[in-house]
Amino acid sequence: MRFEAVVANPPFSAQWSANKLFESDDRFSQYGKLAPASKADFAFVQHMLHHLDENGIMAVVLPHGVLFRGGAEGHIRQYLIKERNWLDAVIGLPANIFYGTSIPTCILVLKKCRESPEDVLFIDASAYFEKAKNQNYLRDEDVDKIIATYRQRVEEDKYSYRAPLAEIAENDFNLNIPRYVDTFEEEEDIDLAALAAELRQCDRDMVETDRLIRGFCEELGIDAPL
């Protein structure tokens, strides 16, 4: 069967057999390698892509490891991007928004017939959430921002970036989001002269405070603290 829409949240880094017999399975054979037995993340992706229609769209929630791990996973990732050009977007989500795990996750959006085949859209939505007592959650405005950014494929400083395929190839098909969306905030320069003046004033204030305390102690007829 083929489906025009596939949405999934498979178990993260589950184990599977990775039996050599799967190398001749239509779901996996074209990739040249199987997902490792210790991490079935890409096996789920391959299975779902097999059932995705040519005009369909697929969105799958996965751990960040699928973005940068090497070995067989790196080989599969490269095949999806370089040979097939099926990866449409990578969306980074906040940590602790799923029950049972606190790790940050991502959404891979894949299409077999992409409208923007010259680049991949990266969205870092990891800082846009509401913190609750035991779990974080995405507010309506956070979801709306992700959807609007994806639909319009707009670039926004520290939030989204359209990475040309050539740039991804230069990064050896590593999709780690900070490689493409820079969220670094520079700290303000420290005025050392002003800080030194503030410390000197504190010393003067302490001397005056000690003088007042000694005066109170003399009036009370008790020893002043050292």
Side-chain angles (χ1 to χ4, degrees):
M1 296 182 68
R2 294 291 184 268
F3 301 92
E4 293 183 352
V6 176
V7 180
N9 180 11
F12 300 152
S13 301
Q15 295 184 352
W16 76 307
S17 70
N19 193 301
K20 288 289 185 181
L21 293 175
F22 284 124
E23 292 178 351
S24 59
D25 189 305
D26 289 343
R27 295 171 296 174
F28 311 108
S29 59
Q30 62 182 298
Y31 297 86
K33 289 190 177 182
L34 298 174
S38 60
K39 296 177 180 65
D41 301 309
F42 271 113
F44 286 113
V45 171
Q46 291 167 307
H47 170 81
M48 290 183 285
L49 281 170
H50 177 73
H51 292 285
L52 183 67
D53 207 343
E54 292 300 320
N55 66 338
I57 181 171
M58 171 176 149
V60 54
V61 180
L62 294 165
H64 276 246
V66 301
L67 303 177
F68 54 81
R69 289 191 296 244
E73 291 180 296
H75 177 88
I76 295 170
R77 193 169 57 242
Q78 177 173 331
Y79 179 85
L80 286 173
I81 301 168
K82 181 179 179 180
E83 304 301 330
R84 291 295 186 175
N85 198 10
W86 286 345
L87 182 63
D88 195 51
V90 177
I91 304 170
L93 299 176
N96 197 30
I97 63 171
F98 290 101
Y99 292 108
T101 180
S102 61
I103 64 171
T105 53
C106 64
I107 298 175
L108 297 188
V109 182
L110 300 110
K111 294 181 177 180
K112 291 184 177 178
C113 186
R114 300 209 294 131
E115 297 87 350
S116 303
E118 68 282 352
D119 57 48
V120 174
L121 176 66
F122 287 81
I123 299 174
D124 187 349
S126 60
Y128 294 79
F129 64 92
E130 184 74 23
K131 188 174 181 62
K133 183 177 181 181
N134 297 317
Q135 194 166 19
N136 301 326
Y137 66 93
L138 296 174
R139 298 161 296 189
D140 290 343
E141 58 263 36
D142 301 324
V143 176
D144 292 342
K145 182 177 178 66
I146 293 172
I147 293 173
T149 303
Y150 173 74
R151 284 179 172 170
Q152 301 168 24
R153 296 187 79 81
V154 295
E155 292 186 322
E156 180 180 327
D157 187 40
K158 302 186 185 305
Y159 186 75
S160 61
Y161 175 68
R162 293 171 61 176
L165 296 180
E167 181 179 351
I168 295 175
E170 289 175 3
N171 286 326
D172 294 325
F173 300 94
N174 185 317
L175 303 176
N176 202 18
I177 296 173
R179 284 178 175 259
Y180 305 97
V181 182
D182 182 10
T183 59
F184 177 74
E185 295 283 355
E186 289 189 5
E187 295 183 359
E188 293 184 8
D189 293 335
I190 298 174
D191 188 339
L192 294 178
L195 181 60
E198 185 178 343
L199 290 172
R200 287 193 296 270
Q201 184 60 47
C202 286
D203 288 339
R204 289 191 291 268
D205 292 343
M206 289 175 64
V207 171
E208 178 62 18
T209 300
D210 289 343
R211 187 188 66 79
L212 290 172
I213 291 175
R214 284 196 299 271
F216 293 145
C217 290
E218 289 176 1
E219 292 180 10
L220 295 170
I222 59 175
D223 294 334
L226 297 176

